Amino acid sequence: MATTAPLWPDPSRSRVSAARVARLATVRPDGSPHHVPVTFALHGHTVVTAVDHKPKSTTALQRLANIDAEPRVSLLVDHYDEDWRRLWWVRLDGDAHVVRDEPERSTLLEPLVARYAAYQDRPPAGPVIVVRIATVTSWSASD
């Protein structure tokens, strides 16, 4: 399947690349939104995130079930500052899928492990979420 590269308004790609956390929005079976903060890495026209070792109440995570049932997701990356001239946000919308099987799962982890020091000694052991970015929307108080 051929995909086209999303259009990244300047300087949104560099802002996303420098950010350390995003908020992943998925759709629950009842249609309501489900948001969680995630670590992430840009990888070409995709974003990868994974279920890591931070404490969780269960390994049957709602975000994974949501993506399995409804792949449309949104990632929001933002910056807040008391000086509101420095505010910005970037939203990445696309379709996601969950990768649970090796060796693909481990290969997809490489950008995350390279990006976060906490993963270098203890890479995420859970599933990887891959988001194919379809659209990029951004806003900045200074642009």
Side-chain angles (χ1 to χ4, degrees):
M1 172 168 83
T3 60
T4 59
L7 176 63
W8 286 82
D10 289 334
S12 60
R13 188 172 181 99
S14 62
R15 287 177 172 150
V16 170
S17 295
R20 305 302 289 165
V21 66
R23 282 88 179 156
L24 174 67
T26 60
V27 181
R28 294 177 190 267
D30 68 1
S32 65
H34 179 260
H35 294 93
V36 291
V38 295
T39 57
F40 72 97
L42 281 175
H43 186 65
H45 304 310
T46 65
V47 172
V48 293
T49 184
V51 178
D52 60 25
H53 57 276
K54 291 188 298 296
K56 294 165 183 57
S57 59
T58 179
T59 57
L61 298 180
Q62 185 69 51
R63 71 190 94 161
L64 302 176
N66 292 348
I67 291 168
D68 286 340
E70 171 54 76
R72 291 178 297 169
V73 302
S74 186
L75 284 142
L76 181 67
V77 181
D78 66 310
H79 173 75
Y80 180 80
D81 194 291
E82 291 297 331
D83 179 350
W84 284 11
R85 294 171 296 182
R86 296 181 181 170
L87 301 177
W88 61 261
W89 58 260
V90 179
R91 189 181 68 231
L92 310 173
D93 297 318
D95 292 325
H97 66 279
V98 179
V99 177
R100 296 173 173 90
D101 297 330
E102 297 295 347
E104 184 182 11
R105 190 197 72 81
S106 291
T107 300
L108 289 167
L109 283 175
E110 292 172 5
L112 280 170
V113 171
R115 183 166 159 83
Y116 295 95
Y119 292 160
Q120 291 173 6
D121 292 331
R122 190 173 176 187
V128 173
I129 297 169
V130 180
V131 179
R132 184 184 52 81
I133 304 166
T135 60
V136 178
T137 307
S138 66
W139 172 85
S140 170
S142 63
D143 294 343

